[in-house]
């Protein structure tokens, strides 16, 4: 069994880990990345000392990109391998874990990557380089990985509709904890995590449980429903036709298209790449 490595775990201390996500060239969310995240979640839940985990990217252009559609929904043949139907279980474990999770976002957090950042407890973003997008509706689909549920809890109905149906970032709406100048982001996130890692674990765990109970955190059942709806939407003729256009334009392959996808979709400039 060949095991790929999309994640690098840097143990800053027994209480604070950094997880660097790196899947060149586009940091697509693929079956191997999901498998490694499941294994990591096992390690997080079984570590009695760990208090906080910071997720970051090894690619300054992409925090975590969209789902790798070419690879399909199959499971990776390695530890932690599971189909993407099990995504609701993973993010529920992350949200309910006794360990705090932070997304340190530099680059594009798009679709699955955006939903991963939303599932983390906190998000600190580069003021100059962070880009957030749920672009599914522009691609004749709908978000199915928790984007609707997490956003509705964070920013309310009207702003969630703007973000989801407008397929845009609609920044400053409250889903980011802090926007930090890019040159200061690493030091800021590290200082925050180091500070939290010195607090008592039981107090951190109980504090998170109390906030979760009052903040409208979506249930695993809610997330399963959206995931199931997405599977049906992807079979729509409109979705299949748009996927054909996206693939011809370089979706998931061409870096120029991936870097400028929002503009291309917004202007319907889906022409075959030169």
């Amino acid at each position: 069994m060949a095991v790929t490595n999309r994640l690098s775990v840097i143990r800053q201390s027994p209480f604070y880990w950094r997880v660097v996500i790196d899947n060149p060239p586009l940091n697509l969310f693929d079956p191997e990345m999901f498998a490694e995240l499941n294994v990591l979640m096992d390690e997080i839940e079984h570590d009695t000392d760990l208090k906080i985990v910071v997720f970051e990217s090894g690619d300054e252009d992409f925090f975590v990109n969209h789902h790798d559609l070419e690879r399909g929904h199959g499971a990776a043949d390695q530890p932690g391998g599971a189909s993407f139907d099990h995504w609701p279980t993973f993010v529920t474990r992350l949200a309910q874990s006794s360990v705090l999770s932070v997304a340190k976002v530099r680059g594009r957090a798009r679709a699955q990557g955006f939903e991963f950042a939303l599932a983390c407890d906190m998000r600190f973003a580069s003021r100059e380089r962070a880009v957030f997008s749920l672009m599914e509706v522009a691609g004749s689909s709908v978000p199915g990985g928790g984007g609707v549920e997490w956003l509705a809890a964070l920013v309310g109905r009207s702003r969630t509709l703007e973000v989801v149906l407008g397929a845009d970032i609609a920044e400053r709406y409250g889903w980011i904890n802090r926007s930090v100048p890019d040159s200061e982001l690493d030091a800021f996130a590290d200082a925050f995590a180091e500070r939290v890692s010195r607090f008592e674990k039981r107090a951190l765990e109980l504090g998170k449980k109390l906030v979760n109970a009052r903040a409208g955190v979506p249930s695993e059942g809610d997330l399963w429903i959206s995931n199931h709806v997405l599977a049906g939407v992807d079979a729509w003729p409109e979705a299949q036709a748009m996927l054909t256009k996206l693939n011809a334009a370089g979706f998931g392959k061409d870096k120029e298209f991936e870097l400028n996808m929002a503009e291309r979709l917004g202007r319907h400039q889906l022409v075959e790449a030169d």
Side-chain angles (χ1 to χ4, degrees):
M1 180 185 297
V3 178
T4 60
N5 293 294
R6 311 292 196 231
L7 310 182
S8 298
V9 181
I10 302 168
R11 290 167 170 80
Q12 299 285 113
S13 76
F15 316 112
Y16 162 33
W17 296 356
R18 289 171 49 224
V19 180
V20 181
I21 305 168
D22 198 13
N23 182 21
L26 299 173
N27 235 15
L28 294 176
F29 193 102
D30 65 7
E32 288 77 18
M33 186 183 293
F34 189 33
E36 287 187 77
L37 284 170
N38 286 322
V39 171
L40 176 67
M41 200 68 240
D42 291 339
E43 296 174 0
I44 287 172
E45 290 180 335
H46 288 97
D47 193 298
T48 57
D49 294 320
L50 184 62
K51 301 174 186 177
I52 187 166
V53 174
V54 175
F55 293 95
E56 59 189 88
S57 175
D59 186 332
E60 64 180 12
D61 289 322
F62 300 97
F63 169 67
V64 178
N65 207 345
H66 56 78
H67 177 211
D68 186 351
L69 292 181
E70 187 174 279
R71 301 288 309 285
H73 293 265
D77 184 21
Q78 64 184 66
S83 71
F84 285 110
D85 291 339
H86 291 82
W87 174 252
T89 300
F90 166 75
V91 291
T92 301
R93 292 172 70 190
L94 183 66
Q96 301 297 344
S97 168
S98 63
V99 174
L100 294 175
S101 57
V102 176
K104 184 175 75 175
V105 181
R106 177 181 282 116
R108 289 150 183 77
R110 182 184 287 146
Q112 192 95 33
F114 188 6
E115 289 165 332
F116 173 61
L118 286 170
C120 290
D121 298 319
M122 286 166 270
R123 288 152 295 283
F124 300 133
S126 165
R127 191 169 297 166
E128 298 89 351
R129 300 195 62 88
V131 178
F132 297 87
S133 176
L134 287 176
M135 79 312 182
E136 286 90 341
V137 169
S140 299
S141 185
V142 294
V148 171
E149 289 79 8
W150 296 111
L151 278 176
L154 287 168
V155 303
R157 175 180 180 272
S158 296
R159 285 175 170 172
T160 298
L161 285 169
E162 179 184 349
V163 175
V164 173
L165 302 186
D168 202 354
I169 59 172
E171 62 186 11
R172 299 187 184 91
Y173 276 0
W175 67 65
I176 301 171
N177 289 71
R178 194 80 62 93
S179 173
V180 182
D182 188 72
S183 61
E184 302 172 17
L185 179 61
D186 294 331
F188 176 87
D190 188 61
F192 176 85
E194 290 281 5
R195 181 170 182 266
V196 169
S197 73
R198 293 192 290 271
F199 298 158
E200 289 294 332
K201 184 174 176 68
R202 285 205 299 174
L204 293 170
E205 180 178 359
L206 180 58
K208 179 173 173 177
K209 285 182 177 179
L210 289 171
V211 171
N212 280 357
R214 291 159 174 76
V217 174
S219 70
E220 184 174 348
D222 294 332
L223 299 172
W224 273 101
I225 291 171
S226 287
N227 197 278
H228 178 71
V229 168
L230 174 61
V233 169
D234 284 344
W236 286 358
E238 303 97 307
Q240 290 294 308
M242 179 59 74
L243 181 59
T244 298
K245 293 179 181 179
L246 285 167
N247 287 335
F251 185 71
K253 296 178 181 178
D254 180 69
K255 187 166 186 178
E256 187 278 331
F257 176 76
E258 288 286 329
L259 288 173
N260 300 287
M261 187 188 302
E263 293 80 3
R264 297 281 293 276
L265 287 174
R267 298 169 186 165
H268 299 290
Q269 293 178 336
L270 293 182
V271 295
E272 189 168 355
D274 295 332

